[in-house]
């Protein structure tokens, strides 16, 4: 049960309410130089200048003063793999080889329930240490492993979206389900866990290469029967992947058309990567409201390519974008590091990611992308008190760099995203409780 006593966090408060147009867009956010967040029952009940503090104090009310540190909404990671915590930093392969050589062998270990439980504990610990309070998670193919994850998340009180990955071909025997069993297990997990407290189930066909037409058909049925659930899959990450997917579905007009044909696109659909899209695919992403998930550290590490952020966001058919780590293709659990690498990829394409836009993306915009805008992603009365405290002076190098920053919020945010990682996360609150 959420704590019913009132508690107060004091510090510098930052929360976005719309997409920043670019640097200096002060209308995109609310910033309190010395503010308080009042929390009760796991939710924010007020956000005020610290001058109002006295009015909220009383017997049993705790005040945690974070001084000149920044209080923000918890980060949201929109694409991460639970069974890949020991795949990170696997040498020398691009996607298709990387899956076979490192990823599938590691995911096989999640057949063991005790291993899966320990993995879930480590995974959530690591997310929270990095200031990520909500994630959209790919499990392994094993139903018990994703149930262990939901049990652990429920114990922590975290809002998580997660799915049992479905694969019925082109993977080792121990990682395969069938179109029928994938459908049945996913349905059972949805019945047991979808919207049980803060847990949400995601329909998760891994990608076209590891699903037969029958399994994508079943995924379409799952989506239709459970319109409140997100659906996640991978799309146009790597050129060889695209070639293989097209060869497996020769009757389809292109990679995206495979998912389109089986009814998998829409505003609740998250498509990981979307690096090598054709114009007609961008138009179709736009028309269906599907979300392209940008996974910068992964795209660089597996050598997949440079995501065309502005081409998607500002083109004639704008596509919704989310940001994610994609651990273990991704190399860091930190959304700050993901923003740093996003900035560098955009530099290579002659595009700019402002600090305001990056912080909006990691919080409000990612919440919007996963359909949770009225629950998380902002610090507003009524929303969940999933909060983090960031310290731009966390390391000697950051503190030294900050000596040259004189009260400029955007510059501070840019230092945080460029140099920061888990060390810059001074505190994490889940539903008002410090963890
Ligand atoms: N495509 C299919 N599966 C995966 C995965 O686990 N990671 C990445 N990065 N791409 C994928
Ligand atoms: Zn992925």
């Amino acid at each position: 049960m959420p704590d019913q006593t009132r508690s107060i966090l004091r510090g510098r408060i930052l929360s976005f309410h719309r997409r920043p147009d670019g640097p200096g867009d002060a209308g995109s956010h609310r910033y309190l130089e010395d503010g308080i967040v009042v929390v009760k029952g796991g939710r924010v009940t007020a956000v005020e200048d610290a001058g109002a503090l006295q009015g909220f104090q009383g017997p049993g009310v705790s005040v945690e003063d974070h001084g000149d540190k920044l209080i923000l909404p918890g980060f949201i990671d929109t694409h991460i793999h639970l069974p890949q915590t020991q795949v990170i930093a696997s040498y020398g392969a691009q996607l298709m080889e990387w899956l076979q050589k490192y990823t599938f062998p590691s995911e096989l270990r999640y057949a063991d329930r005790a291993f899966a439980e320990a993995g879930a504990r480590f995974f959530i610990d690591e997310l929270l240490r990095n200031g990520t309070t909500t994630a959209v998670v790919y499990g392994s193919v094993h139903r018990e492993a994703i149930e262990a994850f939901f049990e652990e998340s429920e114990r922590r009180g975290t809002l998580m979206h997660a799915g049992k990955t479905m694969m019925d071909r082109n993977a080792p025997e121990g990682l395969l389900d069938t179109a029928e069993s994938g459908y049945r297990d996913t349905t059972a997990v949805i019945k047991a866990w979808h919207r049980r407290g803060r847990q949400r189930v995601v329909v998760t066909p891994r990608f076209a290469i590891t699903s037969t037409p029958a399994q994508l058909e079943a995924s379409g049925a799952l989506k239709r029967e459970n319109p409140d659930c997100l659906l996640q899959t991978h799309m146009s990450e790597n050129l060889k992947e695209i070639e293989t997917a097209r060869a497996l579905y020769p009757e389809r007009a292109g990679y995206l058309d495979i998912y389109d044909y089986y009814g998998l696109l829409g505003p609740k659909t998250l498509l990981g990567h979307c690096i090598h899209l054709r114009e007609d695919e961008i138009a179709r992403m736009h028309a269906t409201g599907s979300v392209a998930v940008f996974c910068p550290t992964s795209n660089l590490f597996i050598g997949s390519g440079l995501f065309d952020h502005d081409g998607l966001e500002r083109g004639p058919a704008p596509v919704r974008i989310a940001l994610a780590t994609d651990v273990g293709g991704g190399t860091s659990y930190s959304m700050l590091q993901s923003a740093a690498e996003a900035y560098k990829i955009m530099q290579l394409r002659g595009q700019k990611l402002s600090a305001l836009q990056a912080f909006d993306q990691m919080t409000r915009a990612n919440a919007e992308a996963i359909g949770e805008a009225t629950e998380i992603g902002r610090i507003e009365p009524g929303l969940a008190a999933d909060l983090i405290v960031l310290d731009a002076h966390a390391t000697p190098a950051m503190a030294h760099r900050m000596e040259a920053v004189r009260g400029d919020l955007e510059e501070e945010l840019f230092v945080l995203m460029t140099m920061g990682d888990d060390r810059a996360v001074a505190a994490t609150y889940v539903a008002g409780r410090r963890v």
Side-chain angles (χ1 to χ4, degrees):
M1 275 307 284
D3 194 349
Q4 290 303 323
T5 57
R6 191 189 290 157
S7 60
I8 297 171
L9 277 67
R10 181 174 182 172
R12 295 162 58 219
I13 299 168
L14 177 64
S15 175
F16 290 84
H17 42 257
R18 68 161 166 77
R19 163 69 84 218
D21 294 331
D25 184 358
S28 63
H29 58 273
R30 184 180 185 197
Y31 173 58
L32 298 176
E33 193 63 55
D34 183 8
I36 54 169
V37 184
V38 184
V39 176
K40 194 180 171 191
R43 294 193 175 269
V44 172
T45 59
V47 186
E48 304 280 351
D49 273 311
L53 179 59
Q54 277 226 305
F56 291 98
Q57 277 180 316
V61 178
S62 66
V63 182
E64 275 186 272
D65 192 343
H66 291 288
D68 65 355
K69 297 190 181 76
L70 275 170
I71 302 173
L72 284 100
F75 293 140
I76 299 163
D77 186 346
T78 58
H79 182 131
I80 183 165
H81 295 261
L82 166 67
Q84 295 182 13
T85 52
Q86 294 179 322
V87 177
I88 304 184
S90 292
Y91 174 77
Q94 291 211 352
L95 179 64
M96 301 306 286
E97 185 195 356
W98 175 85
L99 284 170
Q100 297 292 339
K101 189 169 169 184
Y102 303 113
T103 309
F104 292 156
S106 204
E107 295 195 3
L108 275 167
R109 303 190 66 186
Y110 281 72
D112 179 72
R113 168 85 194 197
F115 187 87
E117 286 172 5
R121 283 195 295 276
F122 174 83
F123 183 80
I124 297 177
D125 279 344
E126 195 58 22
L127 290 178
L128 296 176
R129 265 177 12 81
N130 279 277
T132 297
T133 47
T134 288
V136 185
V137 179
Y138 284 74
S140 64
V141 76
H142 315 99
R143 173 178 159 183
E144 283 208 17
I146 206 66
E147 288 171 340
F149 171 78
F150 279 127
E151 284 167 26
E152 188 60 31
S153 177
E154 184 171 66
R155 267 193 288 279
R156 313 291 187 100
T158 42
L159 195 167
M160 292 287 174
H161 286 256
K164 182 207 102 74
T165 290
M166 293 185 282
M167 291 197 270
D168 67 346
R169 66 169 162 183
N170 293 325
E173 184 61 33
L175 283 183
L176 295 180
D177 54 12
T178 65
E180 294 73 29
S181 74
Y183 172 86
R184 211 183 326 111
D185 284 349
T186 301
T187 301
V189 176
I190 290 170
K191 284 215 159 68
W193 285 101
H194 189 63
R195 293 204 180 268
R196 171 166 152 174
R198 307 192 81 195
Q199 311 315 313
R200 322 263 190 263
V201 179
V202 186
V203 176
T204 308
R206 185 180 209 119
F207 65 161
I209 295 173
T210 48
S211 286
T212 61
Q215 182 155 77
L216 293 188
E217 181 91 49
S219 300
L222 284 165
K223 180 171 166 53
R224 279 193 306 282
E225 292 161 13
N226 305 282
D228 187 51
C229 292
L230 293 172
L231 181 143
Q232 62 184 346
T233 190
H234 294 86
M235 165 75 202
S236 284
E237 176 177 7
N238 168 287
L239 297 176
K240 200 157 141 207
E241 169 214 11
I242 297 170
E243 197 182 300
T244 309
R246 295 213 56 183
L248 287 168
Y249 288 88
E251 62 287 1
R252 302 275 63 89
Y255 196 168
L256 189 72
D257 188 50
I258 301 170
Y259 297 138
D260 202 2
Y261 179 80
Y262 291 102
L264 305 188
L265 303 184
K268 304 217 87 171
T269 297
L270 306 176
L271 295 168
H273 306 293
C274 295
I275 296 169
H276 310 282
L277 295 182
R278 307 182 317 210
E279 285 304 317
D280 62 306
E281 291 178 321
I282 293 171
R284 196 61 195 140
M285 293 279 295
H286 167 80
T288 57
S290 306
V291 176
V293 184
F294 183 12
C295 307
T297 73
S298 169
N299 297 163
L300 293 171
F301 183 76
I302 324 185
S304 303
L306 305 177
F307 183 84
D308 186 8
H309 184 282
D310 288 1
L312 295 180
E313 189 180 70
R314 298 180 189 178
V319 174
R320 296 167 69 210
I321 292 173
L323 182 68
T325 64
D326 190 32
V327 161
T331 50
S332 171
Y333 292 84
S334 172
M335 288 300 293
L336 293 170
Q337 280 302 294
S338 299
E341 301 306 286
Y343 176 86
K344 294 172 195 170
I345 288 175
M346 290 173 68
Q347 277 280 49
L348 288 169
R349 278 194 169 269
Q351 303 173 3
K352 282 198 177 80
L353 179 64
S354 72
L356 290 182
Q357 200 178 356
F359 277 80
D360 173 64
Q361 183 72 65
M362 294 186 274
T363 56
R364 184 205 63 84
N366 271 1
E368 192 280 327
I370 66 169
E372 294 285 4
T374 58
E375 184 64 20
I376 53 173
R378 291 171 294 141
I379 308 181
E380 291 281 342
L383 270 69
D386 291 347
L387 305 167
I388 56 175
V389 180
L390 295 185
D391 178 9
H393 299 81
T395 68
M398 290 173 78
H400 179 72
R401 171 65 179 86
M402 283 298 293
E403 284 172 16
V405 176
R406 303 211 184 277
D408 186 311
L409 174 66
E410 283 191 58
E411 203 177 347
E412 177 183 3
L413 293 174
F414 194 63
V415 169
L416 269 168
M417 70 185 244
T418 305
M419 302 179 78
D421 52 28
D422 53 322
R423 294 169 294 179
V425 180
T428 303
Y429 295 82
V430 172
R433 231 169 24 86
R434 189 163 180 171
V435 295

